[in-house]
Amino acid sequence: MNVTASMALKLIPELLESQPVFLCIDDTMVPKFGKKFENASKLFDHAAHNGSNYLNGHCFVSLMLCIPVWNGRKVVYQAVPLGYRMWKKKKSKLELAASMVRQVMPEFCTKKNVVILCDSWYAKKDLVCVVNDYSNLDIICNARCDSVIYDPAPKPTGKRGRPAKHGRRLSVWDDFVLSDEKIGEYYTGVRRVLTNIFGAREVLAYVTSAGKDSGSRRLFFSTVFPEQLHVFCAWQEKAPLNQTGCSILRIRNKI
């Protein structure tokens, strides 16, 4: 894993050295039709198409590195698989993912921004705590819309009693004002929040929706704050960099 990560980082062009790199975490299931395979077990798979949500097989946790490269005059991210770990139920998949990230992080000591990307299943304390161990590591994760989120703690009033640890509880439907224009394909709302997943650390909560006044909403947490966004101009490979820069400024002004 470390050798592959080191070789992949050397492929980043000099002009793109300031751009972030991404560590993508997910798991994949490999069905087995026999019953004599080592460590095979009955697994839940919400995407199974065999008439059941369960299959017999192996589950692997995967770690993938995405690095910026040039494709003509556009910046694209090239995906490089780093490694897989079989889930044997001795450790949780969250612990496996965290150990893989810790193993490769020494290779990123010279990178300013390393960002973990994961879905809502991995947005739990056993994984997100890794970002506290490295100054250049952040995380952007999808989260359940019913996740408990709060306003940041109010300033001390000077009155007697224990100060509040957080503000009022927030709703993704009532407390996030969506942007007037679409950013990419979605209307976006953002605010600083506290959530149990990150403890006392303030993070940004993003709510996205395809419709301004209707449609489902999705929730994301990010430890990346606006002052870091000036290096993220290469995120949208299909949009000119000036349009991407304008989107970043709109988000920054909204915060």
Side-chain angles (χ1 to χ4, degrees), residues 27 29 59 61 87 91-98 121-122:
D27 55 74
M29 298 183 188
C59 180
V61 178
W87 179 48
K91 290 184 178 181
S92 70
K93 290 188 282 186
L94 296 168
E95 292 173 318
L96 285 178
W121 196 94
Y122 284 92

Side-chain angles (χ1 to χ4, degrees), residues 23-212:
L23 291 173
C24 305
I25 297 172
D26 204 353
D27 55 74
T28 184
M29 298 183 188
V30 181
K32 297 293 182 181
F33 299 99
K35 297 183 179 180
K36 303 294 184 180
F37 290 97
E38 186 78 13
N39 295 310
S41 61
K42 195 172 185 179
L43 304 169
F44 176 79
D45 183 8
H46 66 88
H49 299 289
N50 58 0
S52 171
N53 286 330
Y54 293 89
L55 58 83
N56 183 67
H58 292 141
C59 180
F60 293 88
V61 178
S62 63
L63 184 67
M64 181 174 66
L65 172 64
C66 293
I67 57 171
V69 295
W70 290 111
N71 181 12
R73 300 183 63 181
K74 295 181 180 179
V75 178
V76 297
Y77 272 85
Q78 184 67 41
V80 181
L82 293 184
Y84 298 85
R85 294 289 183 271
M86 181 186 291
W87 179 48
K88 301 179 182 180
K89 299 186 178 181
K90 296 179 180 179
K91 290 184 178 181
S92 70
K93 290 188 282 186
L94 296 168
E95 292 173 318
L96 285 178
S99 66
M100 295 170 74
V101 172
R102 289 190 173 97
Q103 178 179 331
V104 299
M105 276 307 294
E107 306 300 328
F108 300 94
C109 59
T110 60
K111 299 298 296 181
K112 183 177 180 181
N113 295 107
V114 183
V115 183
I116 296 174
L117 302 179
C118 61
D119 61 21
S120 59
W121 196 94
Y122 284 92
K124 298 178 178 68
K125 288 183 179 180
D126 286 344
L127 176 62
V128 302
C129 67
V130 176
V131 302
N132 297 324
D133 298 336
Y134 305 92
S135 60
N136 62 336
L137 183 63
D138 286 287
I139 187 169
I140 299 174
C141 56
N142 192 195
R144 289 170 55 102
C145 279
D146 59 357
S147 298
V148 178
I149 53 177
Y150 302 96
D151 265 333
K155 294 181 179 180
T157 60
K159 298 180 180 180
R160 295 180 61 183
R162 182 180 300 175
K165 293 183 178 180
H166 53 73
R168 67 184 181 89
R169 184 169 176 175
L170 302 173
S171 165
V172 298
W173 300 99
D174 303 324
D175 297 306
F176 284 80
V177 179
L178 300 182
S179 56
D180 295 329
E181 300 178 3
K182 283 189 175 181
I183 300 175
E185 298 179 1
Y186 299 95
Y187 296 99
T188 305
V190 58
R191 63 189 300 162
R192 290 176 179 245
V193 302
L194 291 173
T195 178
N196 294 334
I197 299 173
F198 292 92
R201 179 173 181 168
E202 289 187 17
V203 297
L204 294 181
Y206 290 86
V207 171
T208 65
S209 177
K212 176 70 172 178

